[in-house]
Amino acid sequence: MAAEGWFWRLGWGRRCPGRPGLPGPGPGPTASVLLVLLLLLGLVTSDITDGNSEHLKREHSLIKPYQGVGSSSMPLWDFQGSTMLTSQYVRLTPDERSKEGSIWNHQPCFLKDWEMHVHFKVHGAGKKNLHGDGIALWYTRDRLIPGPVFGSKDNFHGLAVFLDTYPNDETTERVFPYISVMVNNGSLSYDHSKDGRWTELAGCTADFRNRDHDTFLAVRYSRGRLTVMTDLEDKNEWKNCIDITGVRLPTGYYFGASAGTGDLSDNHDIISLKLFQLMVEHTPDEENIDWTKIEPSVNFLKSPKDNVDDPTGNFRGGPLTGWRVFLLLLCALLGITVCAVVGAVVFQKRQERNKRFY
Protein backbone atom coordinates (compact mmCIF):
# COMPACT_ATOMS: atom_id res chain seq x y z
CA MET A 1 0.00 0.00 0.00
CA ALA A 2 2.86 2.36 0.86
CA ALA A 3 4.53 1.65 -2.47
CA GLU A 4 1.42 2.68 -4.34
CA GLY A 5 1.30 5.92 -2.37
CA TRP A 6 4.87 6.67 -3.47
CA PHE A 7 3.91 5.70 -7.00
CA TRP A 8 1.31 8.50 -7.20
CA ARG A 9 3.40 11.07 -5.30
CA LEU A 10 6.29 10.61 -7.70
CA GLY A 11 4.07 11.67 -10.54
CA TRP A 12 3.54 8.31 -12.22
CA GLY A 13 -0.17 8.90 -11.86
CA ARG A 14 -0.08 11.87 -14.22
CA ARG A 15 -2.15 11.61 -17.37
CA CYS A 16 0.09 11.29 -20.40
CA PRO A 17 -0.22 14.57 -22.39
CA GLY A 18 -0.06 12.71 -25.71
CA ARG A 19 -2.92 10.40 -24.72
CA PRO A 20 -5.46 12.33 -22.65
CA GLY A 21 -6.98 10.32 -19.83
CA LEU A 22 -4.23 7.72 -19.67
CA PRO A 23 -1.82 7.49 -16.75
CA GLY A 24 1.76 7.49 -17.92
CA PRO A 25 5.37 8.34 -17.02
CA GLY A 26 5.66 11.58 -15.21
CA PRO A 27 8.29 13.81 -13.70
CA GLY A 28 11.72 12.74 -14.84
CA PRO A 29 14.84 10.65 -14.24
CA THR A 30 14.90 11.05 -10.45
CA ALA A 31 11.48 9.50 -10.09
CA SER A 32 12.44 6.81 -12.60
CA VAL A 33 15.50 5.82 -10.56
CA LEU A 34 13.47 5.71 -7.36
CA LEU A 35 10.81 3.57 -8.99
CA VAL A 36 13.45 1.14 -10.27
CA LEU A 37 14.84 0.88 -6.74
CA LEU A 38 11.36 0.13 -5.41
CA LEU A 39 10.95 -2.58 -8.01
CA LEU A 40 14.31 -4.10 -7.08
CA LEU A 41 13.29 -4.12 -3.44
CA GLY A 42 10.08 -5.90 -4.31
CA LEU A 43 7.87 -3.20 -2.86
CA VAL A 44 5.75 -2.68 -5.96
CA THR A 45 3.17 -5.45 -6.05
CA SER A 46 1.32 -6.92 -9.00
CA ASP A 47 -1.69 -4.66 -8.58
CA ILE A 48 0.35 -1.59 -9.59
CA THR A 49 0.14 -0.80 -13.29
CA ASP A 50 1.48 1.95 -15.50
CA GLY A 51 0.22 3.46 -18.73
CA ASN A 52 1.99 0.88 -20.88
CA SER A 53 0.31 -2.02 -19.07
CA GLU A 54 -3.25 -0.86 -19.59
CA HIS A 55 -5.33 -1.64 -22.64
CA LEU A 56 -8.27 0.36 -23.88
CA LYS A 57 -11.40 -1.77 -24.31
CA ARG A 58 -13.29 -0.07 -27.10
CA GLU A 59 -16.41 -2.21 -26.65
CA HIS A 60 -16.87 -0.57 -23.24
CA SER A 61 -15.67 2.93 -24.20
CA LEU A 62 -17.40 6.05 -25.48
CA ILE A 63 -14.99 8.19 -27.51
CA LYS A 64 -15.27 11.03 -30.02
CA PRO A 65 -16.06 11.19 -32.87
CA TYR A 66 -19.35 9.66 -31.83
CA GLN A 67 -21.34 7.55 -34.24
CA GLY A 68 -25.07 8.16 -34.60
CA VAL A 69 -25.07 11.93 -33.95
CA GLY A 70 -28.60 13.27 -34.41
CA SER A 71 -30.22 9.88 -33.73
CA SER A 72 -31.58 8.29 -30.57
CA SER A 73 -28.99 5.51 -30.44
CA MET A 74 -25.38 4.69 -31.23
CA PRO A 75 -23.29 1.53 -31.57
CA LEU A 76 -22.58 -0.18 -28.22
CA TRP A 77 -24.58 2.38 -26.20
CA ASP A 78 -28.26 2.95 -25.41
CA PHE A 79 -29.86 6.25 -24.38
CA GLN A 80 -32.79 6.91 -22.13
CA GLY A 81 -34.87 9.88 -20.99
CA SER A 82 -33.62 13.37 -21.77
CA THR A 83 -30.20 12.19 -23.05
CA MET A 84 -29.09 13.97 -26.23
CA LEU A 85 -26.11 13.11 -28.42
CA THR A 86 -24.16 15.95 -30.05
CA SER A 87 -20.82 16.00 -31.88
CA GLN A 88 -19.02 17.29 -28.75
CA TYR A 89 -20.72 15.60 -25.78
CA VAL A 90 -23.52 13.37 -24.54
CA ARG A 91 -25.86 15.56 -22.54
CA LEU A 92 -27.66 13.49 -19.90
CA THR A 93 -29.84 16.40 -18.79
CA PRO A 94 -30.21 19.98 -19.99
CA ASP A 95 -30.25 22.87 -17.52
CA GLU A 96 -33.98 22.41 -16.97
CA ARG A 97 -36.14 21.23 -14.08
CA SER A 98 -37.32 17.65 -13.57
CA LYS A 99 -35.18 15.94 -16.20
CA GLU A 100 -33.63 12.46 -16.11
CA GLY A 101 -31.32 10.82 -18.58
CA SER A 102 -28.86 7.95 -18.84
CA ILE A 103 -26.53 6.13 -21.19
CA TRP A 104 -25.68 2.43 -20.89
CA ASN A 105 -23.18 0.13 -22.53
CA HIS A 106 -24.61 -2.77 -24.57
CA GLN A 107 -21.88 -5.20 -23.56
CA PRO A 108 -21.50 -6.81 -20.13
CA CYS A 109 -17.95 -6.45 -18.78
CA PHE A 110 -16.09 -9.65 -17.87
CA LEU A 111 -12.83 -8.01 -16.78
CA LYS A 112 -11.72 -8.80 -13.24
CA ASP A 113 -9.51 -5.71 -12.99
CA TRP A 114 -10.35 -2.46 -14.74
CA GLU A 115 -10.08 1.31 -14.66
CA MET A 116 -12.67 3.72 -16.06
CA HIS A 117 -11.63 7.27 -17.00
CA VAL A 118 -14.49 9.75 -17.28
CA HIS A 119 -14.24 13.11 -19.02
CA PHE A 120 -17.29 15.07 -17.87
CA LYS A 121 -18.67 18.55 -17.38
CA VAL A 122 -21.31 19.85 -14.95
CA HIS A 123 -22.35 23.44 -15.59
CA GLY A 124 -25.33 25.73 -15.53
CA ALA A 125 -26.71 29.18 -14.78
CA GLY A 126 -27.48 28.45 -11.12
CA LYS A 127 -25.33 30.21 -8.50
CA LYS A 128 -24.30 29.07 -5.03
CA ASN A 129 -26.75 26.31 -4.03
CA LEU A 130 -29.23 27.00 -6.83
CA HIS A 131 -28.26 24.01 -8.94
CA GLY A 132 -28.50 20.21 -8.92
CA ASP A 133 -28.68 17.32 -8.66
CA GLY A 134 -25.64 15.52 -10.09
CA ILE A 135 -24.27 12.54 -12.03
CA ALA A 136 -24.05 8.84 -11.10
CA LEU A 137 -21.59 6.40 -12.65
CA TRP A 138 -22.71 2.78 -12.56
CA TYR A 139 -21.38 -0.76 -12.75
CA THR A 140 -24.55 -2.75 -12.15
CA ARG A 141 -26.44 -5.92 -12.99
CA ASP A 142 -29.44 -4.11 -14.49
CA ARG A 143 -29.41 -1.39 -17.13
CA LEU A 144 -31.80 1.13 -18.68
CA ILE A 145 -34.17 1.17 -15.70
CA PRO A 146 -35.19 4.71 -14.73
CA GLY A 147 -35.56 5.60 -11.07
CA PRO A 148 -35.09 8.14 -8.29
CA VAL A 149 -31.32 7.76 -7.81
CA PHE A 150 -29.84 10.39 -10.14
CA GLY A 151 -32.13 9.16 -12.90
CA SER A 152 -31.61 5.43 -12.35
CA LYS A 153 -33.14 2.63 -10.27
CA ASP A 154 -32.92 2.22 -6.51
CA ASN A 155 -32.01 -1.08 -4.77
CA PHE A 156 -29.49 -1.85 -7.48
CA HIS A 157 -26.89 -4.63 -7.55
CA GLY A 158 -23.33 -3.42 -7.98
CA LEU A 159 -21.31 -0.22 -7.68
CA ALA A 160 -22.33 3.44 -7.90
CA VAL A 161 -20.16 6.56 -7.82
CA PHE A 162 -22.19 9.69 -7.09
CA LEU A 163 -21.09 13.18 -8.13
CA ASP A 164 -23.57 15.10 -5.99
CA THR A 165 -23.86 18.88 -6.39
CA TYR A 166 -26.71 19.76 -4.03
CA PRO A 167 -26.95 19.27 -0.21
CA ASN A 168 -30.45 18.00 0.52
CA ASP A 169 -29.60 17.52 4.20
CA GLU A 170 -29.35 21.01 5.70
CA THR A 171 -27.59 19.65 8.79
CA THR A 172 -24.76 18.04 6.83
CA GLU A 173 -21.14 18.95 7.52
CA ARG A 174 -20.11 17.99 4.00
CA VAL A 175 -18.92 20.58 1.53
CA PHE A 176 -20.54 20.20 -1.91
CA PRO A 177 -20.01 19.18 -4.68
CA TYR A 178 -19.27 15.83 -3.10
CA ILE A 179 -18.18 12.46 -4.54
CA SER A 180 -19.16 9.24 -2.77
CA VAL A 181 -19.28 5.51 -3.50
CA MET A 182 -21.86 2.88 -2.66
CA VAL A 183 -21.90 -0.91 -3.09
CA ASN A 184 -25.31 -2.57 -2.98
CA ASN A 185 -26.55 -6.16 -3.04
CA GLY A 186 -30.10 -5.05 -3.85
CA SER A 187 -31.26 -4.72 -0.24
CA LEU A 188 -30.28 -1.10 0.33
CA SER A 189 -32.22 2.03 -0.61
CA TYR A 190 -30.44 5.30 -1.34
CA ASP A 191 -31.73 8.10 0.91
CA HIS A 192 -31.75 11.37 -1.06
CA SER A 193 -32.91 13.37 1.97
CA LYS A 194 -29.62 12.47 3.71
CA ASP A 195 -27.53 12.64 0.52
CA GLY A 196 -26.83 8.93 0.83
CA ARG A 197 -24.98 9.34 4.13
CA TRP A 198 -26.07 5.99 5.62
CA THR A 199 -25.04 4.02 2.55
CA GLU A 200 -21.79 5.82 1.76
CA LEU A 201 -18.59 3.78 2.01
CA ALA A 202 -16.28 6.76 1.53
CA GLY A 203 -16.30 10.19 -0.06
CA CYS A 204 -14.54 13.49 -0.64
CA THR A 205 -15.29 17.10 -1.55
CA ALA A 206 -14.55 17.88 -5.21
CA ASP A 207 -15.13 21.27 -6.82
CA PHE A 208 -15.97 20.12 -10.35
CA ARG A 209 -18.93 22.37 -11.23
CA ASN A 210 -18.69 25.31 -13.70
CA ARG A 211 -15.00 24.81 -14.42
CA ASP A 212 -13.47 26.61 -17.40
CA HIS A 213 -11.18 23.65 -18.13
CA ASP A 214 -11.61 19.91 -18.60
CA THR A 215 -12.57 17.79 -15.59
CA PHE A 216 -11.79 14.09 -15.23
CA LEU A 217 -12.54 11.25 -12.83
CA ALA A 218 -10.99 7.77 -12.68
CA VAL A 219 -12.51 4.70 -11.01
CA ARG A 220 -10.17 1.75 -10.51
CA TYR A 221 -11.13 -1.72 -9.29
CA SER A 222 -8.42 -4.31 -8.80
CA ARG A 223 -8.16 -7.30 -6.47
CA GLY A 224 -10.77 -6.00 -4.09
CA ARG A 225 -9.39 -2.46 -3.96
CA LEU A 226 -11.59 0.41 -5.13
CA THR A 227 -9.93 3.75 -5.87
CA VAL A 228 -11.49 6.99 -7.11
CA MET A 229 -9.21 9.79 -8.37
CA THR A 230 -9.91 13.23 -9.79
CA ASP A 231 -8.18 15.68 -12.12
CA LEU A 232 -10.08 18.94 -11.59
CA GLU A 233 -7.30 21.54 -11.33
CA ASP A 234 -6.08 21.48 -14.95
CA LYS A 235 -2.72 20.16 -13.74
CA ASN A 236 -2.77 16.96 -15.78
CA GLU A 237 -2.38 14.74 -12.72
CA TRP A 238 -4.60 12.59 -10.56
CA LYS A 239 -5.56 13.41 -6.98
CA ASN A 240 -6.72 10.69 -4.61
CA CYS A 241 -10.34 10.96 -3.48
CA ILE A 242 -11.40 7.48 -2.27
CA ASP A 243 -9.36 4.37 -1.52
CA ILE A 244 -10.99 1.35 0.16
CA THR A 245 -10.24 -2.36 0.25
CA GLY A 246 -12.34 -5.47 0.77
CA VAL A 247 -14.72 -4.68 -2.11
CA ARG A 248 -16.20 -7.64 -3.97
CA LEU A 249 -17.73 -7.04 -7.39
CA PRO A 250 -18.76 -9.69 -9.91
CA THR A 251 -18.03 -9.76 -13.61
CA GLY A 252 -20.75 -9.58 -16.23
CA TYR A 253 -22.27 -6.26 -15.08
CA TYR A 254 -22.87 -3.16 -17.22
CA PHE A 255 -21.29 0.29 -17.20
CA GLY A 256 -23.50 3.35 -17.42
CA ALA A 257 -23.95 6.98 -16.43
CA SER A 258 -27.10 8.84 -15.43
CA ALA A 259 -28.12 12.26 -14.15
CA GLY A 260 -31.20 13.96 -12.76
CA THR A 261 -32.54 17.41 -11.97
CA GLY A 262 -35.39 18.45 -9.69
CA ASP A 263 -36.56 21.93 -8.76
CA LEU A 264 -32.94 22.96 -9.45
CA SER A 265 -30.95 21.98 -12.51
CA ASP A 266 -27.65 21.81 -14.42
CA ASN A 267 -26.27 20.58 -17.71
CA HIS A 268 -24.75 17.15 -17.07
CA ASP A 269 -22.41 16.19 -19.91
CA ILE A 270 -20.35 13.07 -20.56
CA ILE A 271 -17.55 13.76 -23.06
CA SER A 272 -15.84 10.37 -22.93
CA LEU A 273 -15.81 7.08 -21.04
CA LYS A 274 -12.63 5.05 -21.46
CA LEU A 275 -12.32 1.59 -19.94
CA PHE A 276 -8.87 0.02 -19.53
CA GLN A 277 -8.04 -3.55 -18.65
CA LEU A 278 -5.50 -3.75 -15.82
CA MET A 279 -2.93 -6.47 -16.36
CA VAL A 280 -2.94 -8.16 -12.95
CA GLU A 281 -1.91 -11.70 -12.09
CA HIS A 282 -4.32 -13.77 -10.01
CA THR A 283 -3.67 -16.89 -7.97
CA PRO A 284 -4.94 -20.25 -9.27
CA ASP A 285 -7.65 -20.21 -6.60
CA GLU A 286 -8.83 -16.78 -7.75
CA GLU A 287 -8.85 -17.92 -11.37
CA ASN A 288 -11.06 -20.90 -10.48
CA ILE A 289 -13.75 -18.70 -8.92
CA ASP A 290 -16.92 -18.13 -10.94
CA TRP A 291 -16.70 -14.34 -10.88
CA THR A 292 -20.19 -13.96 -12.33
CA LYS A 293 -21.66 -15.48 -9.14
CA ILE A 294 -19.98 -13.12 -6.66
CA GLU A 295 -22.36 -11.13 -4.45
CA PRO A 296 -21.56 -7.38 -4.34
CA SER A 297 -20.27 -6.66 -0.84
CA VAL A 298 -17.67 -4.84 1.23
CA ASN A 299 -15.80 -6.93 3.76
CA PHE A 300 -14.82 -4.49 6.49
CA LEU A 301 -16.28 -3.06 9.69
CA LYS A 302 -17.81 0.33 8.91
CA SER A 303 -17.59 3.41 11.07
CA PRO A 304 -20.74 4.79 12.81
CA LYS A 305 -21.23 7.42 10.11
CA ASP A 306 -21.85 4.72 7.54
CA ASN A 307 -24.81 2.39 7.23
CA VAL A 308 -24.57 1.01 10.77
CA ASP A 309 -27.58 3.18 11.70
CA ASP A 310 -29.26 2.60 8.36
CA PRO A 311 -33.00 2.84 9.12
CA THR A 312 -33.73 -0.03 6.74
CA GLY A 313 -31.65 -2.25 8.99
CA ASN A 314 -31.13 -4.92 6.34
CA PHE A 315 -27.83 -4.17 4.60
CA ARG A 316 -24.37 -5.16 5.64
CA GLY A 317 -21.23 -4.40 3.72
CA GLY A 318 -20.22 -8.01 4.29
CA PRO A 319 -21.33 -11.17 6.08
CA LEU A 320 -21.13 -11.48 9.87
CA THR A 321 -17.83 -13.33 9.80
CA GLY A 322 -14.16 -12.79 10.46
CA TRP A 323 -13.40 -9.77 12.62
CA ARG A 324 -17.06 -9.10 13.37
CA VAL A 325 -17.56 -12.56 14.89
CA PHE A 326 -14.22 -12.28 16.72
CA LEU A 327 -15.14 -8.91 18.25
CA LEU A 328 -18.57 -10.15 19.29
CA LEU A 329 -17.10 -13.28 20.90
CA LEU A 330 -14.38 -11.23 22.60
CA CYS A 331 -16.95 -8.82 24.07
CA ALA A 332 -19.10 -11.73 25.24
CA LEU A 333 -16.10 -13.47 26.82
CA LEU A 334 -15.00 -10.29 28.60
CA GLY A 335 -18.53 -9.78 29.89
CA ILE A 336 -18.73 -13.35 31.22
CA THR A 337 -15.28 -13.04 32.84
CA VAL A 338 -16.17 -9.77 34.58
CA CYS A 339 -19.44 -11.24 35.87
CA ALA A 340 -17.62 -14.35 37.12
CA VAL A 341 -14.96 -12.32 38.94
CA VAL A 342 -17.53 -10.02 40.55
CA GLY A 343 -19.64 -13.02 41.57
CA ALA A 344 -16.63 -14.78 43.09
CA VAL A 345 -15.64 -11.71 45.11
CA VAL A 346 -19.19 -11.23 46.40
CA PHE A 347 -19.44 -14.94 47.32
CA GLN A 348 -16.11 -14.86 49.18
CA LYS A 349 -17.15 -11.78 51.18
CA ARG A 350 -20.38 -13.46 52.24
CA GLN A 351 -18.51 -16.61 53.28
CA GLU A 352 -16.12 -14.59 55.45
CA ARG A 353 -19.03 -12.71 57.03
CA ASN A 354 -20.88 -15.96 57.83
CA LYS A 355 -17.78 -17.46 59.54
CA ARG A 356 -17.69 -14.62 62.06
CA PHE A 357 -21.04 -15.70 63.50
CA TYR A 358 -19.86 -19.24 64.34
Side-chain angles (χ1 to χ4, degrees), residues 273-290:
L273 297 169
K274 297 180 180 180
L275 185 74
F276 302 94
Q277 180 178 8
L278 302 179
M279 308 309 294
V280 177
E281 292 185 5
H282 288 268
T283 65
D285 289 341
E286 290 174 331
E287 293 292 351
N288 291 331
I289 295 174
D290 185 351

Side-chain angles (χ1 to χ4, degrees), residues 61-101:
S61 299
L62 175 69
I63 306 172
K64 290 191 295 185
Y66 312 125
Q67 299 180 24
V69 175
S71 65
S72 59
S73 64
M74 64 185 303
L76 300 176
W77 295 86
D78 287 322
F79 300 165
Q80 181 179 264
S82 61
T83 302
M84 177 180 65
L85 177 63
T86 75
S87 61
Q88 299 300 315
Y89 52 78
V90 177
R91 178 153 292 172
L92 301 175
T93 71
D95 190 359
E96 300 174 10
R97 294 181 177 182
S98 303
K99 298 293 184 180
E100 293 180 353

